[in-house]
């Protein structure tokens, strides 16, 4: 059978189709790269209506990435989805503590989610860039710690998906003065969260 | 802030909401568990219209899982999303060759995608259960090898997402007599693919 086999041709073709089928919009060129990539990773054009990008978000994320920081994610799926070649070029790394042994133990002892315990560990390490694709409880925990003055994140992806707490956690995040890219409502997911990070990395380093 | 912190309470609550908001349907009890989990992982009720489950798919997948087989995925994200505790209880394992060094070398030499080269390696190892969440080229390659009589898969998840080839690859899969769960159209993704596998595993072993 004949089919397109070059991954870059497939991606370029996909982005052209997405652009041609999107509704009228007012996104900047960089915002559009992010929105298109969320549609690319889900096949769902609804993302053009629900991606929220705070005014300072892209600049703040780019500045952090250029400094070679550690990105923390709430799931191993989000970690897996973040492009490792691009991370390496930037001198960045990505960590996820949700399946960490010590974190699991703390969560069990204290009756909190592993995601929450994972946020605490990231905060101890001075997290600046946090990516949430799954756990509303993790966002709530991060915001608790922001209010307590224990952490001052410079960029957050707020993309938990779900029906219990996800929407609320993201609405809460939007009340804070944290540079953020957030998926409003119930939709989102670790794949979407990773796609947002990749879109920003590809603004700085070439895509392999 | 007060919020629900017990992961099992969150999941149970989510499934109740999904059930209450779904349209009328004719899914069997087991099919419904799969459809609900795809909605749970995406926040997208459209999945109730696009999940295709072949008549023999669930039984065939369960039989394989009970035998302690190796599941092959086309992406590390799908691999990450498959529940490791459930896999362990079943004595199953999951492999993904897309980032394998030898596979990358073969792909480069032959000008094919790494996903295609990964399928070839899985076929050499006698793959019976393949999970596709991303790569249309990988599905086309598997079907090539089926036609050549080199492999006889007993269960396939066909969930590539995208705008170039994804829909076509899934329509092609549906022409074969392979037990399959397929997401029709452009939607899908590694998260959806993993959710389908998890839904079937949770029919057999208890969810942690």
């Amino acid at each position: 059978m004949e089919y397109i086999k070059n991954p870059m041709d497939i991606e370029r073709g996909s982005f052209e189709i997405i652009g041609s089928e999107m509704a009228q919009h007012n996104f900047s060129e960089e915002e559009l790269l992010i929105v298109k990539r969320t549609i690319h990773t889900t096949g769902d054009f609804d993302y053009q209506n629900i991606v929220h990008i705070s005014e300072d978000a892209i600049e703040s994320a780019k500045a952090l990435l250029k400094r070679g920081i550690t990105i923390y994610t709430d799931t191993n799926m989000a970690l897996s989805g973040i492009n490792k070649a691009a991370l390496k070029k930037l001198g960045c790394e990505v960590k996820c503590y949700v399946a960490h042994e010590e974190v699991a133990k703390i969560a069990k002892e204290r009756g909190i989610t592993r995601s929450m315990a994972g946020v605490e560990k990231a905060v101890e390490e001075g997290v600046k860039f946090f990516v949430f694709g799954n756990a509303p409880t993790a966002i709530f925990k991060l915001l608790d710690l922001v209010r307590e003055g224990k952490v001052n994140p410079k960029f957050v992806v707020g993309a938990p998906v779900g029906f219990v707490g996800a929407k609320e956690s993201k609405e809460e995040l939007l009340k804070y003065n944290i540079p953020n890219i957030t998926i409003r409502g119930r939709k989102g997911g670790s794949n979407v969260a990773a796609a947002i990070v990749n879109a920003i990395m590809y603004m700085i380093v070439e895509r392999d």
Side-chain angles (χ1 to χ4, degrees), chain A:
Chain A
M1 247 192 103
E2 281 310 306
Y3 45 92
I4 304 177
K5 295 183 186 69
N6 182 306
M8 285 302 103
D9 288 346
I10 294 172
E11 186 161 304
R12 206 173 301 116
S14 298
F15 273 75
E16 277 171 22
I17 293 169
I18 293 166
S20 72
E21 295 189 23
M22 275 181 73
Q24 283 273 321
H25 62 77
N26 292 310
F27 296 118
S28 71
E29 203 176 316
E30 288 191 326
E31 287 170 347
L32 191 56
L33 291 172
I34 293 167
V35 173
K36 281 187 177 175
R37 197 162 283 278
T38 63
I39 296 171
H40 178 253
T41 204
T42 58
D44 184 355
F45 280 93
D46 194 20
Y47 278 88
Q48 70 192 303
N49 308 311
I50 59 179
V51 176
H52 165 85
I53 302 173
S54 78
E55 209 182 328
D56 47 356
I58 297 173
E59 281 317 306
S60 188
K62 282 163 73 177
L64 290 167
L65 291 168
K66 284 178 187 170
R67 273 205 271 146
I69 44 90
T70 301
I71 298 172
Y72 293 82
T73 66
D74 65 338
T75 65
N76 278 310
M77 269 190 95
L79 182 147
S80 290
I82 294 174
N83 187 300
K84 301 303 174 298
L87 270 183
K88 198 177 167 188
K89 283 182 190 172
L90 289 160
C92 292
E93 59 168 358
V94 56
K95 288 187 185 177
C96 174
Y97 282 130
V98 75
H100 192 270
E101 209 173 311
E102 180 196 330
V103 163
K105 204 175 144 226
I106 290 169
K108 202 167 180 184
E109 280 169 8
R110 292 180 34 210
I112 60 175
T113 65
R114 290 183 300 155
S115 302
M116 290 167 72
V119 166
E120 290 183 347
K121 191 163 168 66
V123 165
E124 282 169 22
E125 295 183 5
V127 57
K128 293 287 175 205
F129 188 127
F130 213 121
V131 178
F132 298 100
N134 183 58
T137 58
I139 291 195
F140 285 125
K141 170 51 77 179
L142 185 74
L143 297 176
D144 286 347
L145 296 171
V146 168
R147 280 197 312 280
E148 292 169 21
K150 290 185 177 150
V151 63
N152 180 20
K154 298 296 184 197
F155 180 67
V156 168
V157 174
V161 54
F163 299 85
V164 175
K167 181 165 172 271
E168 294 76 6
S169 74
K170 294 183 282 189
E171 282 169 5
E172 191 66 19
L173 170 62
L174 292 176
K175 294 179 189 163
Y176 287 68
N177 191 22
I178 302 169
N180 71 89
I181 300 181
T182 298
I183 309 301
R184 290 181 189 273
R186 289 165 161 182
K187 289 182 180 176
S190 298
N191 53 336
V192 174
I196 291 168
V197 176
N198 289 339
I200 301 171
M201 291 200 297
Y202 304 152
M203 293 175 197
I204 312 173
V205 294
E206 211 174 326
R207 176 107 165 81
D208 276 334

